[in-house]
């Protein structure tokens, strides 16, 4: 073997241990770790799951559909593992739109907030045509539409029957949602109307005639002037009846 070949083999033998040592070095992972029970840290996935389950348990799904999204938790958050974490709705938070879910632990003691968003999709009542003030709502004046109610204030009507037969309190444009304050129940009692006062108390009952001192819709409080001049209050019922409960 020539001198040149011997030098080449000698160089290869020197480099071989270095190559083997490099091959044995494990590659570091660049993926962030969100904690695990094994290392004593509360997994972020568990916090997200707790927040989602809490919201689902609080929402009424009988007449509405909800979409719940949970925003990412800061990867730097490292909370000790908790055997019994409790979710709650912080003061001022709402069950719609962007809101926070609180999660706390008694032992070890800690608490945190999870940012969420609740989108509400449901049917609600809208005017199908312009409605003038005082107009008595008919079935053809309104319809149900389905849409995103997330940013609507609560209380919008979701049942057409709650609007039919009532009068509009202010002019409305076509497509406008209806709230209870947009409607007035028909008057059951007119001022000066002769009414029948019926009532009961502890061991006695009353059935007498009187005169309405003002107007009232069904279910509203009405004032009645009795023959002796006394003014009493009762609930307006159908047929010109004022129901009084004596306590």
């Amino acid at each position: 073997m020539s001198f040149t070949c011997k030098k080449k083999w000698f160089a290869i033998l020197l480099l071989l241990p270095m190559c083997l040592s490099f091959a044995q070095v494990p590659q570091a992972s660049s993926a962030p770790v969100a904690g695990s029970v094994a290392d004593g840290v509360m997994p972020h996935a568990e916090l997200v799951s707790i927040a989602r389950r809490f919201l689902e348990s609080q929402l009424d799904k009988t007449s509405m559909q909800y979409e719940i999204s949970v925003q990412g938790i800061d990867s730097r958050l490292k909370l000790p593992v908790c055997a019994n974490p409790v979710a709650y709705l912080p003061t001022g938070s709402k069950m719609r739109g962007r809101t926070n879910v609180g999660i706390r632990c008694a032992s070890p003691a800690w608490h945190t907030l999870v940012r969420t968003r609740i989108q509400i999709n449901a049917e609600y009542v809208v005017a199908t045509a312009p409605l003038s003030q005082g107009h008595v709502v008919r079935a053809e004046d309104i319809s149900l539409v389905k849409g995103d109610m997330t940013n609507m204030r609560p209380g919008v009507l979701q049942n057409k029957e709650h609007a039919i037969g009532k009068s509009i309190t202010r002019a409305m444009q076509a497509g406008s949602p209806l709230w209870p304050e947009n409607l007035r129940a028909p008057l059951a009692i007119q001022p000066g109307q002769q009414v029948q006062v019926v009532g009961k108390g502890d061991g006695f009952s009353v059935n007498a005639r009187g005169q309405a001192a003002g107007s009232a819709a069904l279910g509203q409080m009405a004032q009645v002037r009795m023959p002796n001049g006394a003014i009493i209050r009762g609930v307006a019922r159908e047929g010109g009846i004022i129901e009084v409960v004596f306590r």
Side-chain angles (χ1 to χ4, degrees):
M1 182 181 295
S2 67
F3 180 74
T4 302
C5 290
K6 288 182 179 179
K7 288 178 65 178
K8 288 182 179 180
W9 278 106
F10 183 72
I12 292 173
L13 291 174
L14 286 176
L15 291 174
L16 184 59
M18 296 177 61
C19 295
L20 291 175
S21 63
F22 282 128
Q24 293 173 356
V25 175
Q27 297 298 314
S29 175
S30 60
V33 178
S36 65
V37 174
D39 58 16
V41 176
M42 194 75 178
H44 289 183
E46 179 64 16
L47 296 175
V48 169
S49 178
I50 292 170
R52 184 181 295 276
R53 290 198 304 268
F54 171 77
L55 292 178
E56 290 176 346
S57 69
Q58 299 298 307
L59 294 169
D60 177 13
K61 299 182 180 179
T62 57
S63 60
M64 298 183 181
Q65 295 178 343
Y66 299 89
E67 294 181 14
I68 300 173
S69 57
V70 181
Q71 298 184 7
I73 298 174
D74 190 339
S75 60
R76 296 169 297 179
L77 180 66
K78 296 185 182 299
L79 299 172
V81 171
C82 180
N84 296 297
V86 177
Y88 64 95
L89 193 67
T91 303
S93 296
K94 300 177 181 179
M95 294 296 292
R96 63 195 305 124
R98 296 188 184 279
T99 190
N100 290 321
V101 174
I103 303 177
R104 59 179 166 235
C105 181
S107 179
W110 56 257
H111 76 275
T112 188
L113 295 177
V114 178
R115 294 176 295 168
T116 66
R117 185 179 187 277
I118 306 171
Q119 179 175 321
I120 303 174
N121 301 295
E123 289 186 334
Y124 54 93
V125 180
V126 300
T128 57
L131 302 177
S132 59
Q133 183 177 0
H135 176 80
V136 178
V137 179
R138 303 164 298 178
E140 57 267 31
D141 295 327
I142 55 177
S143 63
L144 285 172
V145 298
K146 187 172 184 177
D148 185 354
M149 293 174 54
T150 305
N151 296 320
M152 281 188 180
R153 56 188 175 87
V156 66
L157 295 186
Q158 295 184 266
N159 188 329
K160 293 174 61 176
E161 296 301 321
H162 294 164
I164 295 174
K166 296 181 179 179
S167 58
I168 298 295
T169 59
R170 62 176 180 83
M172 306 190 71
Q173 299 296 319
S176 299
L178 271 68
W179 276 270
E181 58 266 31
N182 300 139
L183 303 166
R184 181 183 296 115
L187 293 178
I189 304 296
Q190 300 284 352
Q193 177 183 344
Q194 293 296 312
V195 296
Q196 190 72 26
V197 178
V198 297
K200 57 184 179 180
D202 187 11
F204 69 92
S205 61
V206 174
N207 193 325
R209 301 287 293 178
Q211 185 179 52
S215 61
L218 284 174
Q220 289 184 335
M221 296 299 295
Q223 291 186 331
V224 181
R225 180 176 289 104
M226 303 304 291
N228 62 0
I231 299 292
I232 63 173
R233 288 166 52 86
V235 180
R237 303 299 186 193
E238 292 182 348
I241 295 175
I242 304 297
E243 185 179 53
V244 180
V245 177
F246 297 94
R247 301 186 183 279

